[in-house]
Amino acid sequence: MCGIVGYIGDREATPILVEGLKTLEYRGYDSAGVAIYNDKIDLVKTKGRLKDLVKTLGDSNMKGTMGIGHTRWATHGEPSYLNAHPHMNSDVDIALVHNGIIENYIELREELIEKGYKFVSETDTETIVHLITESEKTTDTFLDAILAAASRIDGSYALGVISHKNPDEIIAVRKESPLVIGIGEGENFIASDIPALLKHTRNVYFLEDNEIAILRKESVKLLDMDKNEVKKEIFRVTWDMDAAEKAGFNHFMLKEIHEQPRVMRDVLAQRIDETSTEIKLDQLKIDKELLKRVNKVYLVACGTASYAAEVGKELLQKVARIPAVMETASEFRYKDPIIDENTLMIVVSQSGETADTLAALRMAKKSGAYVIAAVNVVGSTMAREADDVLYLCAGPEIAVASTKAYSAQLVAMYLISIKIGRLLGKINDTEFIELRDALLKLPTQIEKILAREEEIKMLAYKHLDMKNIFYIGRGLDYAASLEGALKIKEIAYLHAESYPAGELKHGPIALIENGSVLMGILGQEYLMEKTISNIKEVKARGAEVIAIALEGNEKVKKIADDVIYVPATHWMLTTLLVNIPQQLFAYYIACGLGHDVDKPRNLAKSVTVE
Ligand code: F6R
């Protein structure tokens, strides 16, 4: 949800800001801009993608060694030149970039208009820049003016602010929106995410809520809102920029799909010893004592992550025999959920910053629950605020549509439920060994599916003219079908709906007619006959059926028009394998339709607003 960057040092700021923004474009890409200080503040911004900004900058010859930049995902006001960031005050001496949402901006805007301030945009952000200008009238320093403005704002923000009257500093403030400070030599940086910094430094501070960073060329000072100095450890980033490059693939999404065997190998090597009867999750502090008091587990997440959580829910119930529910984070927090010290919450998230999931985590912690975060981004807010963290270790995921992080989330769900099942004595040694060996085979099995890419591509091309597609499955296959349908919606812009297979005849089957396309997921052997009956029902009504089934399932061949086979595995793990063809199918449909796969319309990778 919007990317922000800032630079102060001796080098030309514009190319550094633009390079940084390029790595953050996944966060939003409907408009972009930069403001550079050089005796006065110069501003260049534009509607459209970063390449449009680069074109506009081409003629502007902006010079200066301090500046801020922004790539936007519109929340208040359409994508346009005027709504693009940075925003400036009427005196053109303060420029500001913002990620987040100001909830009381209408009241503030009215108050400021009454005082004579002129607004040029429809954004909530512009309110802040005028509020700082107003606060300057009653405060001594620029920092005080920013603090006074911040104290009036309800909502979430990561801010980067520069002022003509305060030419040696970038001031950054954070509340509920991510912000990382990059520490260089004779230069310092701010950014919404680490990739924007990696070309310049690996040393970072993660700003916490209600913290301020004052960046000068030679120093970074961290303060709380009362201006007390905050001391924190420098975090050293260990992963490489290569992980954030396309490496010869046409899209990040395809690269990330192909990275899955390696990701699985790395993750499993860290967690499983092929001769041991225990999972190595040393960093997880949950133990038998804690589990004794747990009487309910909430798994909370959004979107794709919530489908992984759905799998986690089923496994915890089936394998560990603990009552578990999956809740969509945006709904959970308004349901008045019953949470106490006997509740275990597992939040699942790639970014670790999703606003609704984070709010659920905070709500649970406030009520005494124990929270485990299964997150990908190291040092993210969820990772820092949860009681326990299980890192997904999928590496940076750049494509907006999640693929490898989803697979890693599934593995996290497998590992957590096996660990809890073992601690509670619900999985015996023989069952564990069976599961362990099946897990270790996953990387090779994924490779086997990826080797069928051409076949899946052809199948996708055969269906480029479909107007909609139904996905069905039962049990864990239903969870997988939710993810299959979401991928089609996100990147192919086609209406795709997923139903528990048995639900079709309670209404949706009325939509089936000659030529309707249905994807049937048949990973769960014990439910296979039932789903096949449901497939027969839609076949009889003219639907064209694609099935994803386990190798050896000959029955489905006689009913479906096309079958994509995946290797057979333990029933707990099929969800991961049946999803790989779904990813490729959605990818090639989207490519065939000519869509921008990595940056689908209206979406952003990290949803840090409600
Ligand atoms: C879809 C997708 C989203 C995210 C959701 C939660 O491909 O990526 O549905 O899963 O926005 O994001 P995280 O996992 O960062 O909390």
Side-chain angles (χ1 to χ4, degrees):
M1 279 304 90
C2 302
I4 71 179
V5 290
Y7 172 78
I8 182 163
D10 285 325
R11 294 189 279 160
E12 280 303 329
T14 311
I16 295 173
L17 297 179
V18 170
E19 276 305 306
L21 288 176
K22 273 186 193 156
T23 70
L24 297 181
E25 226 186 345
Y26 71 87
R27 303 178 67 86
Y29 34 83
D30 57 43
S31 52
V34 288
I36 303 289
Y37 175 77
N38 189 2
D39 289 333
K40 58 181 188 13
I41 297 175
D42 290 326
L43 179 70
V44 171
K45 50 187 195 172
T46 178
K47 180 183 165 182
R49 301 223 164 158
L50 213 58
K51 59 177 176 2
D52 301 305
L53 179 70
V54 172
K55 223 189 271 163
T56 318
L57 277 167
D59 317 321
S60 73
N61 196 26
M62 273 216 294
K63 294 258 175 262
T65 57
M66 173 173 90
I68 50 178
H70 190 273
T71 176
R72 180 171 185 248
W73 185 85
T75 56
H76 296 68
E78 58 171 6
S80 67
Y81 171 82
L82 288 177
N83 290 333
H85 299 216
H87 286 281
M88 294 196 71
N89 59 349
S90 312
D91 294 341
V92 211
D93 59 7
I94 299 175
L96 173 146
V97 284
H98 168 220
N99 171 30
I101 285 190
I102 306 307
E103 284 164 4
N104 58 338
Y105 86 101
I106 293 179
E107 297 97 282
L108 292 171
R109 189 177 167 112
E110 279 166 7
E111 181 188 315
L112 288 159
I113 288 173
E114 228 162 77
K115 286 185 170 141
Y117 287 89
K118 298 233 167 341
F119 281 74
V120 294
S121 79
E122 301 154 274
T123 62
D124 52 341
T125 305
E126 196 186 349
T127 319
I128 318 173
V129 81
H130 294 311
L131 203 54
I132 296 174
T133 310
E134 178 63 14
S135 302
E136 279 189 309
K137 293 180 185 164
T138 51
T139 50
D140 295 333
T141 63
F142 188 50
L143 173 65
D144 287 335
I146 293 176
L147 288 175
S151 72
R152 300 280 325 275
I153 298 170
D154 297 335
S156 56
Y157 46 84
L159 300 175
V161 200
I162 56 172
S163 162
H164 173 65
K165 288 177 262 165
N166 194 55
D168 302 322
E169 290 177 353
I170 297 177
I171 298 186
V173 195
R174 175 208 153 124
K175 186 179 162 235
E176 292 168 22
S177 280
L179 201 53
V180 192
I181 311 297
I183 309 148
E185 300 215 345
E187 55 183 10
N188 291 302
F189 309 79
I190 62 169
S192 299
D193 198 358
I194 290 171
L197 306 173
L198 275 187
K199 275 205 174 135
H200 313 289
T201 180
R202 292 178 166 279
N203 293 337
V204 304
Y205 289 131
F206 293 109
L207 222 54
E208 302 284 346
D209 278 352
N210 301 313
E211 282 182 356
I212 304 147
I214 301 174
L215 284 81
R216 296 178 147 253
K217 244 166 53 174
E218 301 290 349
S219 66
V220 174
K221 196 172 186 181
L222 305 178
L223 303 175
D224 66 16
M225 294 309 242
D226 296 321
K227 295 197 285 183
N228 299 311
E229 194 153 346
V230 174
K231 290 270 171 226
K232 62 172 74 190
E233 297 272 306
I234 291 178
F235 181 88
R236 178 104 185 132
V237 181
T238 48
W239 50 269
D240 259 329
M241 199 56 206
D242 299 358
E245 307 281 354
K246 264 192 242 168
F249 285 94
N250 281 342
H251 295 101
F252 278 112
M253 182 175 174
L254 190 61
K255 177 196 166 219
E256 287 160 5
I257 289 173
H258 279 270
E259 274 174 354
Q260 292 176 111
R262 186 188 49 71
V263 168
M264 295 298 116
R265 260 188 202 105
D266 291 353
V267 174
L268 294 169
Q270 287 174 48
R271 317 288 191 213
I272 296 179
D273 194 325
E274 56 192 78
T275 54
S276 165
T277 48
E278 291 311 328
I279 284 196
K280 287 186 282 175
L281 287 182
D282 301 340
Q283 77 256 59
L284 271 195
K285 298 188 285 272
I286 42 159
D287 57 17
K288 229 175 172 167
E289 271 317 291
L290 191 139
L291 286 173
K292 258 193 214 154
R293 63 165 210 258
V294 171
N295 57 20
K296 188 202 278 163
V297 185
Y298 279 120
L299 292 106
V300 184
C302 296
T304 285
S306 74
Y307 304 146
E310 182 69 27
V311 171
K313 173 203 86 178
E314 288 228 22
L315 297 185
L316 280 171
Q317 290 214 143
K318 278 200 162 133
V319 177
R321 304 304 293 155
I322 304 188
V325 277
M326 195 289 283
E327 295 275 6
T328 305
S330 54
E331 290 292 313
F332 179 76
R333 51 196 291 204
Y334 302 111
K335 275 191 176 168
D336 206 2
I338 301 165
I339 314 171
D340 57 27
E341 56 286 352
N342 301 323
T343 309
L344 170 65
M345 178 182 277
I346 303 174
V347 292
V348 187
S349 175
Q350 190 285 127
S351 61
E353 303 290 349
T354 302
D356 287 312
T357 313
L358 187 56
L361 177 157
R362 287 176 174 161
M363 191 174 175
K365 285 209 70 178
K366 224 177 181 171
S367 307
Y370 190 83
V371 182
I372 301 177
V375 297
N376 195 33
V377 175
V378 175
S380 56
T381 310
M382 284 181 219
R384 282 178 283 133
E385 294 195 13
D387 297 294
D388 245 354
V389 190
L390 179 60
Y391 280 117
L392 305 178
C393 303
E397 190 178 65
I398 308 293
V400 166
S402 185
T403 53
K404 63 172 179 169
Y406 175 67
S407 291
Q409 284 162 354
L410 287 177
V411 170
M413 295 300 101
Y414 301 154
L415 296 176
I416 291 177
S417 34
I418 296 171
K419 164 115 182 168
I420 293 181
R422 283 296 272 170
L423 284 169
L424 294 177
K426 307 283 185 199
I427 301 176
N428 65 32
D429 281 359
T430 319
E431 288 162 338
F432 177 82
I433 289 167
E434 201 189 325
L435 262 166
R436 178 196 71 192
D437 294 347
L439 276 165
L440 291 171
K441 280 191 195 132
L442 281 177
T444 323
Q445 291 177 323
I446 300 172
E447 273 162 359
K448 227 172 144 189
I449 302 170
L450 293 176
R452 304 209 175 115
E453 182 170 350
E454 207 51 33
E455 182 193 319
I456 299 166
K457 179 173 161 182
M458 288 306 140
L459 195 61
Y461 285 178
K462 190 171 134 186
H463 289 90
L464 285 181
D465 59 351
M466 70 184 179
K467 296 286 170 280
N468 48 45
I469 176 165
F470 299 88
Y471 280 71
I472 61 166
R474 284 172 183 259
L476 291 177
D477 288 337
Y478 171 55
S481 75
L482 286 162
E483 173 59 6
L486 181 67
K487 281 290 151 294
I488 292 278
K489 282 182 246 200
E490 288 184 279
I491 58 170
Y493 314 149
L494 289 174
H495 184 232
E497 220 48 75
S498 158
Y499 294 99
E503 268 296 296
L504 269 191
K505 54 177 142 336
H506 297 286
I509 202 163
L511 293 168
I512 302 288
E513 55 189 1
N514 262 343
S516 297
V517 181
L518 181 130
M519 178 81 82
I521 314 297
L522 294 152
Q524 296 292 290
E525 288 274 39
Y526 79 108
L527 294 167
M528 200 254 298
E529 290 293 348
K530 304 221 176 285
T531 308
I532 285 204
S533 301
N534 302 128
I535 289 179
K536 279 184 185 157
E537 289 157 11
V538 294
K539 237 359 248 166
R541 286 158 180 84
E544 198 181 318
V545 175
I546 307 167
I548 301 181
L550 303 185
E551 275 165 8
N553 183 340
E554 292 301 317
K555 218 168 192 177
V556 67
K557 249 196 205 157
K558 300 189 188 114
I559 301 142
D561 297 277
D562 291 283
V563 184
I564 309 167
Y565 281 109
V566 301
T569 179
H570 191 285
W571 66 267
M572 267 176 67
L573 315 183
T574 58
T575 50
L576 197 153
L577 295 185
V578 295
N579 186 50
I580 309 290
Q582 298 195 129
Q583 296 172 341
L584 287 169
F585 184 73
Y587 172 78
Y588 280 111
I589 293 270
C591 288
L593 294 176
H595 298 319
D596 185 344
V597 176
D598 282 337
K599 296 194 193 80
R601 69 183 180 203
N602 305 339
L603 298 180
K605 181 82 183 152
S606 179
V607 184
T608 52
V609 293
E610 248 193 84

